[in-house]
Amino acid sequence: MQKLLPMLETANLDRIVLLGFGEALCNPHIKELLTELREIDTRIVLVSNATFLTDDMASFLASLPLDELYVSWDDDIYGVDTEIRRGASAALFRNNIEALVAKISEFRINRPLIGLQIVATKTNHRFIPGSIEYGKSIGIERFIVSNLYPYSAAMAGDVLYDDYSSKKIKLHKLLRHAVKRSRLTVANQDIHVNRRCPFIEKGTIFITAEGDIATCPELAYTHPAFYSGKQRLHTRFILGNINCNTLEEIWNNKEFEELRNKFEYYEFPDCSFCQHPDLCTLRIEKGYDCFDNLTPCGECLWARNIIICP
């Protein structure tokens, strides 16, 4: 962090977003880190599952202040048992988020925007309208409903966008009343749409805990993915590390520039039209696509607005 902070201070940043594949509030030094980040003249956005939103943490986040704080919840907001977030408690979540909203309401100026992010699935879609109504009733200002990214075969069977049956669950129809009455953003479910990279267009860089630089969370780690129900290997594509080079040097290196240029005309295969994705041995076994790209941008769900982030 000590190497990164001076780089962030001199960069022309629109915002800093703390999200990833873990929980930021687990960091034992999170208060110190957020205090240092707050010194930078840019917007600070935090995404949390609210498990660690104690009264003390809520007071700290409210007074810092953050610009935006999104909490995530995917189960029945009034349920006893949780199907998606195993071991979690809806009652504890409600208690934590209500305490946070109460703390923030004490501030007349510089109040953080509070948002609720929900990942929609076949399992939980029926609970989403109730979660939004609950959020509105306690003072949550913005809502984001994304789709599920399938990292496993079990997840692949629970997605709402790769379904061509006559009984397809349509999120926009399910949430049409909430859209009219709330600041609600709902993800796309049609996989056959024009693609555009939200990360490249915004000039985003993603920094891992080890200091590795990627363009987005998808390219930061090697992981399995189930695209159209077929298992793939999505290989990490790292463009540098802040322990070796500055952000400016990494941004201007040849490899990063060549990758950004590919998005001018989106020079990646459109894998949604592939008739035999199960035969794509390049992607499945070696991580390449049929245009010899190492990055899995031809299968990107963010580029189709199917997966959305704050």
Side-chain angles (χ1 to χ4, degrees), residues 27 40 44 51 81 98 101 139 144 175 179 184 187 199 219-220 238 257:
N27 190 313
I40 301 172
I44 306 295
T51 301
D81 298 319
E98 288 170 18
V101 173
I144 297 176
L175 302 173
V179 169
L184 170 61
F199 301 103
L219 299 186
I238 301 302
E257 183 179 2

Side-chain angles (χ1 to χ4, degrees), residues 174-243:
L174 174 69
L175 302 173
R176 62 187 184 278
H177 297 301
V179 169
K180 294 177 181 178
R181 301 194 299 264
S182 312
R183 291 181 62 187
L184 170 61
T185 303
V186 182
N188 168 50
Q189 288 177 269
D190 183 4
I191 203 166
H192 299 300
V193 295
N194 291 332
R195 300 168 294 168
R196 50 191 302 178
C197 177
F199 301 103
I200 291 291
E201 287 189 356
K202 295 176 182 177
T204 301
I205 59 170
F206 185 90
I207 308 175
T208 72
E210 295 76 25
D212 290 327
I213 299 292
T215 57
C216 63
E218 169 67 357
L219 299 186
Y221 306 97
T222 297
H223 60 83
F226 285 76
Y227 188 82
S228 296
K230 308 300 180 182
Q231 185 171 359
R232 342 284 274 171
L233 175 65
H234 284 189
T235 306
R236 71 199 299 251
F237 193 79
I238 301 302
L239 295 153
N241 187 289
I242 60 170
N243 294 303

Side-chain angles (χ1 to χ4, degrees), residues 132-163:
I132 294 173
E133 287 303 313
Y134 162 78
K136 288 174 58 181
S137 73
I138 66 167
I140 291 178
E141 301 166 78
R142 190 182 175 205
F143 303 87
I144 297 176
V145 177
S146 182
N147 279 292
L148 176 68
Y149 192 104
Y151 292 103
S152 68
M155 288 182 176
D158 209 21
V159 301
L160 292 175
Y161 52 86
D162 196 12
D163 185 353

Side-chain angles (χ1 to χ4, degrees), residues 1-210:
M1 191 66 176
Q2 297 310 311
K3 284 192 174 183
L4 179 59
L5 275 172
M7 301 182 199
L8 297 177
E9 289 170 353
T10 57
N12 183 21
L13 301 176
D14 178 61
R15 62 179 188 159
I16 296 172
V17 183
L18 291 100
L19 61 76
F21 297 101
E23 169 55 44
L25 297 184
C26 282
N27 190 313
H29 307 293
I30 189 62
K31 288 184 178 180
E32 294 90 335
L33 295 174
L34 284 172
T35 300
E36 291 179 318
L37 287 174
R38 183 67 282 172
E39 295 299 315
I40 301 172
D41 185 20
T42 189
R43 290 185 295 155
I44 306 295
V45 182
L46 174 67
V47 181
S48 171
N49 63 24
T51 301
F52 298 94
L53 276 177
T54 61
D55 284 346
D56 177 64
M57 182 60 71
S59 297
F60 169 76
L61 295 176
S63 62
L64 189 59
L66 293 170
D67 293 277
E68 299 176 35
L69 172 57
Y70 289 87
V71 293
S72 59
W73 184 259
D74 306 317
D75 283 287
D76 182 357
I77 198 71
Y78 297 109
V80 177
D81 298 319
T82 52
E83 298 181 61
I84 297 173
R85 192 182 295 179
R86 298 294 176 85
S89 164
L92 178 61
F93 177 85
R94 294 196 308 272
N95 179 73
N96 287 353
I97 190 60
E98 288 170 18
L100 175 68
V101 173
K103 295 285 185 184
I104 288 175
S105 66
E106 298 173 5
F107 293 82
R108 294 183 179 274
I109 58 175
N110 295 328
R111 293 172 55 174
L113 178 148
I114 303 298
L116 175 64
Q117 182 174 18
I118 302 168
V119 175
T121 68
K122 291 178 181 176
T123 301
N124 76 347
H125 71 276
R126 64 190 185 278
F127 302 133
I128 297 176
S131 295
I132 294 173
E133 287 303 313
Y134 162 78
K136 288 174 58 181
S137 73
I138 66 167
I140 291 178
E141 301 166 78
R142 190 182 175 205
F143 303 87
I144 297 176
V145 177
S146 182
N147 279 292
L148 176 68
Y149 192 104
Y151 292 103
S152 68
M155 288 182 176
D158 209 21
V159 301
L160 292 175
Y161 52 86
D162 196 12
D163 185 353
Y164 303 101
S165 70
S166 59
K167 297 182 179 180
K168 179 177 180 178
I169 299 159
K170 298 180 179 179
L171 287 175
H172 281 273
K173 183 176 181 180
L174 174 69
L175 302 173
R176 62 187 184 278
H177 297 301
V179 169
K180 294 177 181 178
R181 301 194 299 264
S182 312
R183 291 181 62 187
L184 170 61
T185 303
V186 182
N188 168 50
Q189 288 177 269
D190 183 4
I191 203 166
H192 299 300
V193 295
N194 291 332
R195 300 168 294 168
R196 50 191 302 178
C197 177
F199 301 103
I200 291 291
E201 287 189 356
K202 295 176 182 177
T204 301
I205 59 170
F206 185 90
I207 308 175
T208 72
E210 295 76 25

